[in-house]
Amino acid sequence: MNVTTGLHRHLASVSLAAMASVALAGAAQAQSAPPAQPQVVTPQEASADADIVVTGSRITTSGFNAPTPTTMIGEEQIANNAQPNIFNTIAQLPSLQGSTGAATGTFSTSSGQQGLSSFSLRGLGPIRTLTLLDGQRVVGANVTGVPDISMFPQLLVKRVDIVNGGASASYGSDAVGGVVNFITDTRFEGFKANVLGSITKYGDDETALVQAAWGKSFMDDRLHFVISGEFDHEGGVGPGDFGTDLAGSRDWYRATTLMNTGQTNNGLPQFNYRDFAQPYQYARYGLINNGPLQGIAFAPDGTPYNFQYGSNGQPLGNGRVSNCFPGNSFCVGGDLTGAPGSGASLKSGLERINGYTRLGYDFAPDNEVYVTVNVAQVKTDNQPSPGYNRPNLTVQCANPYLPQLIRDRCASAGITSFNFGSSNANFPDPHVYTDRKQYRFVGGLKGKFGMGGTDWNYDAYYEHGITISDIQVRDIVLQNRYVAATNAITLNGAIVCADPVARANGCQPINIFGNFAPSASAINYVAPHTGPFQHTKLTQDVASLNFSGNPFELWAGPVSVAFGGEYRREFYRVNADPYGAGVSDISPNSPDYPADPLLNAQLGNSWAAGNYKNGRGKYEVIEGFVEVDLPIINSDTMGRANINAAARVTDYSTSGTIWAWKVGGTWDTPLDGIRLRAVTSRDVRAPNLSELFAAPTITTLPNFNDPFNNRAVQAFQRAVGNPNLRPEVARDTELGIVLSRPSWLPGLSLSFDYYNIKLKGVISSLSADQIVRFCFDGNTAFCGGFVLDAPNQGDNFINVQPFNLASWKTSGFNIEASYQWQQPLGLPGSFTARVLATHIRKFIVNAGIAGVDPVDQAGANNGATPDWKWLAVQTYDSGRFSLTVQERWISNGTFGNQYVVCQSSCPASTGNHPTIDYNTMKGAFYVDVGASFNITDNVTIYGKVDNLFDKDPVASPQTNTGLDINPALYDTLGRIYRAGVRFNF
């Protein structure tokens, strides 16, 4: 990803100047706008403006209170949280769990989701959270249908509504966990801009953000024009070296892994939690890992030496090492210089450009016709791993690059070949580049009209969205060419590739016994500069028409009604290179990808990673809904109460007709400040394009555990779509109580909301490891979908496919408490304290497959569902100067609740309940500090320090090689300094 150097330097200097200004502002003790504080929408706030649409409902009525808890974040809160992406601010809310951003997915080559910012409510996943822009759908950023928040016009956002509960009856599919709705300022007038710079304590992830917006009204305030633009460059945090060296001076990585003893019934735990895991099947520049020469490694200059195994291990000549862990081929300690875990990016580099414009014309009072255009581009880059990890290569003893000492040892041992493993640290490191472009056009009408003696609101729009997504992988190895290039012979006095077919197709020999850089032609043969690619086009068309009004009154007030319909069409098409997808009319051979008899022309899968496939699919949706709000009590003695109900019928072209509904109500009791609310709903999520029609997604598993042979192998996980999937169906029940600014303490607000969600027909798949383990445990239903003992490394695979088999049950509660103190201790201004928390009581995942036990994932901190997640904010605001302290906390958890913890006398370890010696994953507590100062009424400088105490992430160990952390819950970058300037004229 390239950035104009001059612009980058200019922005960096602006950021440094802004940081210095903030320091001066702190000394002057002055202030600006209030800090980043989430706010719960109260009835008082809802009634302050006429015709507010509460996102949890389609009702448009002054003073209406939706029964579903809704949190609001305003533009001042967004601005003062000082983030380069509004996504970071929203994702901090406790009810958002498992959201993805630039720090997630960096270990992946094939997902295509690097840098994609998407929300997940209730830990149900981004695909079960509906994200809207001005109440309208947005075309997905990839085939899962999830939008990328980086592509939204962020400077024009005046508030964000987060509906914490099912809203399918009001908004349609995907709103199982809730809705996140970005509301823009469609009548903005004037000019405003924001310049932000940031950098980590370690000197990386240098960020430069420039945003500007201008709006003006013409023709006696009837014609409204708004335009905005944004540029954001985030340098990311790159990889470290092999071993345990991270980027910068970060020192928290310890190669923590769950070691597999391979023993399931000897009274001891099968899995052992250990730091400094050493893979013993390969080394940095090569290791003989089997046979009579096992244990001989190669120094950078090619000199053979005895490899230093951890655990005081000694090679046994059969591929195993004494005192080590054969279940996944690890020792503890020893020579870690070839371990690849720390060689992955911690945060993707990201560059986004966004342009937005809106033109609206009031053709009559309170009636507008409008057009919006949003064009955005997001580029990312990441390094998923260093070099090329190859644990299983057959080397001939006659290889001329092999030192004579080893050839002599081969002769003495009576062997002509041996097994060899290498990290190939002399190879270029692979990089993944994604480029997502989005073009979104909306035309609409909205306003009021009178009919039947009452006013009606209408909102009609048509949206057409296009996303073009390109993934390009550089410096990735073609596996069969690697085998050919490393199998060298001497022919007519020259070292050449042994295979004559390979020689005829350009093979150049490579010396893998030491740190010998291959020639340019050899590297281009093994890892062509073109590399794997995937080109995807997605389109979305939406036509929507909605009405709302108060057709009549009852004893307690007007009855409110909303109704409407929507048509939606989703389509995608993807094509990939012939080496990954296989040769076809869509992916033909070409000068960049010439035919090669060494490669599998029919199936593809030739790359070490990034084997993208071809595919296409579409579906259509027609739906209608009606919602009614019925006031039932309105008196001084009983208070005020209403019942809210909605129903939606939806017809999917792929799965037929399905209903969603909700029934709820609120009661403002006669008790001072106390309100009760309750809602129950039937919500649905239709399978997305990826789940229905996705071309096979190939994920490389470089160190996959083969329990049948008690070894680690490389295998491909092949995930494919299923066109027979049906919609998921959820039942969501919520009960809440609110204390809002009572007269006896008007600065106090409290709320408590309990939720219970039961989701059936969940579209899910077992993991590759689960499939193999259940077969190994004797469940033969799982044994037909994988091969782990293929003669060629590239032919090992595990098939993974989604079905409507699983069910989830989750429950918990949300808490919010806030208090505002005017003129604290006699000082001018105000002090505000606010705490939000979410507690997950249970999150039971039932795979729905015989022999697979349900697992409670609540408190499993290697995922997205911690027991507790808190956000607390304290702010002092003098009117010109503000100081904000923010705390973020997640509770202690486990690596997984399926484990049985024991030290001795352990029960038999099974795939459902494996035994382990340690199962505690510590939580985290972060402190952020920010301040701002109004230089003038139009210019504000601000600064912020995130993760003030530079808290390190904790290990999230798995059973294979990798960085093994959880960036979805934990901060992986360390302390970050931010500073900027805002202008508003």
Side-chain angles (χ1 to χ4, degrees):
M1 177 171 51
N2 297 320
V3 179
T4 303
T5 304
L7 177 61
H8 193 187
R9 288 177 177 171
H10 173 69
L11 293 173
S13 63
V14 170
S15 302
L16 291 173
M19 193 174 294
S21 300
V22 170
L24 293 174
Q29 292 193 356
Q31 190 227 15
S32 80
Q37 304 172 31
Q39 297 177 345
V40 171
V41 176
T42 65
Q44 292 86 349
E45 292 166 333
S47 61
D49 298 309
D51 298 339
I52 285 184
V53 178
V54 180
T55 299
S57 168
R58 294 282 190 164
I59 298 294
T60 307
T61 303
S62 298
F64 165 70
N65 298 314
T68 308
T70 301
T71 300
M72 183 186 74
I73 295 183
E75 60 182 323
E76 290 183 339
Q77 289 81 13
I78 294 167
N80 282 277
N81 208 28
Q83 299 296 317
N85 194 325
I86 195 173
F87 164 83
N88 299 338
T89 298
I90 310 303
Q92 290 177 351
L93 291 175
S95 60
L96 285 139
Q97 299 148 343
S99 302
T100 66
T104 61
T106 60
F107 321 141
S108 171
T109 302
S110 305
S111 72
Q113 299 188 41
Q114 293 89 335
L116 197 161
S117 299
S118 57
F119 297 120
S120 169
L121 280 161
R122 306 290 196 208
L124 296 174
I127 58 176
R128 296 177 184 87
T129 298
L130 180 60
T131 301
L132 305 173
L133 181 60
D134 288 321
Q136 302 167 349
R137 287 183 178 263
V138 179
V139 62
N142 72 354
V143 293
T144 64
V146 174
D148 188 351
I149 311 306
S150 298
M151 295 178 162
F152 286 21
Q154 300 191 6
L155 189 62
L156 287 173
V157 173
K158 65 179 182 180
R159 81 172 196 268
V160 181
D161 293 345
I162 300 95
V163 180
N164 297 302
S168 294
S170 296
Y171 285 95
S173 182
D174 303 335
V176 173
V179 177
V180 180
N181 188 12
F182 289 77
I183 310 298
T184 64
D185 189 350
T186 61
R187 299 296 177 102
F188 171 71
E189 291 194 41
F191 173 80
K192 62 179 177 179
N194 178 42
V195 179
L196 169 68
S198 67
I199 191 170
T200 72
K201 167 190 171 181
Y202 304 96
D204 46 27
D205 195 28
E206 295 173 285
T207 296
L209 171 69
V210 178
Q211 301 170 297
W214 178 77
K216 188 172 177 59
S217 296
F218 304 91
M219 300 174 60
D220 297 326
D221 203 32
R222 296 179 66 187
L223 183 68
H224 309 277
F225 179 72
V226 178
I227 187 170
S228 73
E230 303 181 13
F231 171 81
D232 175 27
H233 171 82
E234 301 175 32
V237 178
D241 197 359
F242 288 88
T244 58
D245 294 330
L246 293 174
S249 56
R250 295 174 178 85
D251 59 2
W252 46 260
Y253 179 63
R254 300 187 304 276
T256 306
T257 304
L258 299 183
M259 308 289 202
N260 186 352
T261 65
Q263 300 295 318
T264 61
N265 200 17
N266 64 349
L268 298 175
Q270 178 183 356
F271 291 97
N272 291 180
Y273 174 91
R274 298 291 185 271
D275 292 336
F276 305 110
Q278 177 201 51
Y280 64 64
Q281 289 193 322
Y282 51 89
R284 188 182 182 103
Y285 300 116
L287 170 68
I288 301 175
N289 58 26
N290 208 336
L293 306 188
Q294 182 184 354
I296 296 176
F298 296 87
D301 63 359
T303 302
Y305 70 95
N306 290 326
F307 184 67
Q308 181 188 353
Y309 291 103
S311 305
N312 294 317
Q314 296 295 321
L316 300 178
N318 60 357
R320 299 186 184 182
V321 179
S322 64
N323 300 323
C324 292
F325 296 86
N328 48 359
S329 302
F330 284 106
C331 298
V332 177
D335 183 353
L336 295 174
T337 59
S342 56
S345 299
L346 286 179
K347 177 186 175 183
S348 294
L350 184 146
E351 180 179 296
R352 64 182 181 93
I353 301 174
N354 188 306
Y356 172 87
T357 187
R358 185 183 192 276
L359 182 65
Y361 177 69
D362 294 341
F363 60 89
D366 295 324
N367 287 270
E368 181 189 35
V369 58
Y370 64 90
V371 175
T372 68
V373 178
N374 189 29
V375 179
Q377 181 180 29
V378 176
K379 295 181 179 180
T380 72
D381 71 86
N382 70 291
Q383 178 176 307
S385 61
Y388 167 49
N389 181 349
R390 178 78 185 212
N392 186 18
L393 178 71
T394 300
V395 172
Q396 301 299 318
C397 292
N399 190 309
Y401 288 124
L402 198 63
Q404 186 62 48
L405 174 64
I406 303 303
R407 292 195 226 173
D408 294 342
R409 293 280 300 273
C410 284
S412 300
I415 59 174
T416 60
S417 65
F418 53 80
N419 209 61
F420 182 84
S422 177
S423 295
N424 290 288
N426 56 330
F427 276 37
D429 298 322
H431 281 78
V432 182
Y433 300 88
T434 69
D435 184 352
R436 292 186 287 271
K437 304 180 187 73
Q438 187 175 101
Y439 310 90
R440 184 173 182 267
F441 311 92
V442 180
L445 292 164
K446 65 178 182 178
K448 296 181 179 180
F449 64 92
M451 188 177 70
T454 186
D455 286 336
W456 289 86
N457 298 282
Y458 68 92
D459 186 353
Y461 76 90
Y462 169 74
E463 180 256 0
H464 177 65
I466 303 170
T467 296
I468 305 294
S469 175
D470 290 292
I471 306 172
Q472 186 80 50
V473 185
R474 303 294 189 192
D475 298 318
I476 201 78
V477 166
L478 286 166
Q479 298 196 98
N480 288 355
R481 287 188 182 180
Y482 172 87
V483 172
T486 56
N487 184 19
I489 61 171
T490 301
L491 183 65
N492 299 324
I495 299 178
V496 297
C497 300
D499 187 338
V501 175
R503 289 201 304 271
N505 285 273
C507 181
Q508 298 291 315
I510 291 177
N511 183 356
I512 54 174
F513 310 110
N515 187 19
F516 301 103
S519 66
S521 58
I523 278 293
N524 193 47
Y525 174 75
V526 172
H529 70 279
T530 48
F533 79 81
Q534 181 187 64
H535 175 79
T536 305
K537 179 180 181 180
L538 301 103
T539 64
Q540 180 187 72
D541 292 274
V542 180
S544 176
L545 176 61
N546 306 297
F547 298 93
S548 64
N550 304 322
F552 56 91
E553 289 197 19
L554 295 178
W555 61 92
V559 174
S560 300
V561 176
F563 60 93
E566 185 172 288
Y567 166 81
R568 179 161 51 99
R569 179 182 184 270
E570 306 272 0
F571 166 82
Y572 99 106
R573 180 182 68 243
V574 59
N575 63 282
D577 67 276
Y579 293 171
V583 178
S584 66
D585 292 339
I586 300 175
S587 301
N589 289 124
S590 67
D592 285 336
Y593 301 92
D596 186 340
L598 264 66
L599 308 180
N600 191 326
Q602 180 179 2
L603 298 178
N605 299 337
S606 297
W607 303 102
N611 290 291
Y612 305 112
K613 302 298 180 179
N614 303 319
R616 63 187 295 137
K618 69 174 183 178
Y619 66 84
E620 296 178 326
V621 183
I622 300 174
E623 52 192 338
F625 78 95
V626 62
E627 183 173 357
V628 177
D629 182 66
L630 180 67
I632 57 174
I633 299 175
N634 189 0
S635 70
D636 293 337
T637 57
M638 293 296 294
R640 179 182 173 187
N642 69 292
I643 294 176
N644 178 248
R648 176 178 292 257
V649 60
T650 305
D651 182 72
Y652 295 100
S653 61
T654 54
S655 55
T657 302
I658 194 167
W659 285 84
W661 53 262
K662 73 169 181 178
V663 177
T666 62
W667 180 22
D668 289 319
T669 73
L671 300 177
D672 189 6
I674 293 181
R675 182 189 321 122
L676 304 178
R677 57 191 177 200
V679 63
T680 186
S681 62
R682 185 181 196 259
D683 301 289
V684 298
R685 184 188 77 87
N688 57 46
L689 290 168
S690 175
E691 293 162 331
L692 288 168
F693 308 113
T697 300
I698 308 298
T699 303
T700 304
L701 308 174
N703 208 37
F704 187 78
N705 177 40
D706 173 9
F708 299 94
N709 298 295
N710 215 8
R711 60 176 183 169
V713 299
Q714 177 179 292
F716 288 128
Q717 175 181 292
R718 302 196 305 209
V720 297
N722 182 352
N724 298 316
L725 292 172
R726 305 179 308 278
E728 301 173 345
V729 177
R731 181 67 182 273
D732 184 358
T733 300
E734 307 207 15
L735 304 171
I737 182 170
V738 179
L739 174 63
S740 180
R741 302 182 181 183
S743 59
W744 44 271
L745 196 58
L748 178 67
S749 294
L750 301 171
S751 67
F752 178 95
D753 289 281
Y754 167 82
Y755 68 89
N756 186 290
I757 302 172
K758 298 178 181 179
L759 186 59
K760 296 182 179 180
V762 176
I763 300 168
S764 62
S765 306
L766 291 177
S767 69
D769 183 67
Q770 286 177 312
I771 292 170
V772 172
R773 284 183 179 277
F774 290 135
C775 173
F776 179 72
D777 288 342
N779 194 330
T780 58
F782 296 96
C783 296
F786 64 87
V787 170
L788 298 178
D789 56 357
N792 298 316
Q793 175 166 305
D795 294 338
N796 290 330
F797 68 88
I798 305 100
N799 284 333
V800 175
Q801 187 177 28
F803 294 94
N804 289 100
L805 296 176
S807 62
W808 296 355
K809 295 180 181 179
T810 180
S811 66
F813 49 82
N814 295 331
I815 302 172
E816 178 171 358
S818 66
Y819 182 72
Q820 188 174 60
W821 184 11
Q822 298 294 336
Q823 297 182 335
L825 301 176
L827 297 173
S830 64
F831 174 80
T832 302
R834 185 181 300 274
V835 178
L836 298 96
T838 293
H839 172 52
I840 302 177
R841 295 178 59 248
K842 65 179 181 182
F843 198 111
I844 298 175
V845 174
N846 187 337
I849 300 174
V852 182
D853 289 352
V855 177
D856 188 355
Q857 294 184 355
N861 284 12
N862 64 346
T865 51
D867 280 330
W868 283 96
K869 181 181 177 183
W870 288 72
L871 174 67
V873 183
Q874 305 86 45
T875 301
Y876 172 68
D877 181 353
S878 73
R880 194 179 180 196
F881 166 76
S882 73
L883 177 66
T884 300
V885 179
Q886 176 175 279
E887 299 88 18
R888 297 173 283 133
W889 177 71
I890 56 175
S891 58
N892 291 342
T894 66
F895 308 135
N897 293 326
Q898 73 274 22
Y899 291 108
V900 176
V901 180
C902 58
Q903 304 296 328
S904 60
S905 303
C906 297
S909 184
T910 67
N912 281 312
H913 300 289
T915 53
I916 193 171
D917 65 342
Y918 180 80
N919 190 25
T920 298
M921 189 168 172
K922 293 183 178 180
F925 180 77
Y926 304 105
V927 177
D928 311 322
V929 177
S932 63
F933 174 64
N934 288 346
I935 297 176
T936 70
D937 290 341
N938 306 111
V939 180
T940 300
I941 58 175
Y942 61 92
K944 193 162 183 278
V945 180
D946 289 335
N947 194 354
L948 177 65
F949 299 111
D950 195 30
K951 179 74 173 180
D952 294 333
V954 302
S956 177
Q958 308 299 320
T959 58
N960 55 7
T961 301
L963 193 54
D964 293 340
I965 53 176
N966 183 8
L969 282 184
Y970 295 85
D971 182 351
T972 60
L973 306 187
R975 185 185 304 139
I976 301 176
Y977 304 98
R978 307 189 192 277
V981 182
R982 285 192 292 271
F983 308 90
N984 198 337
F985 297 95

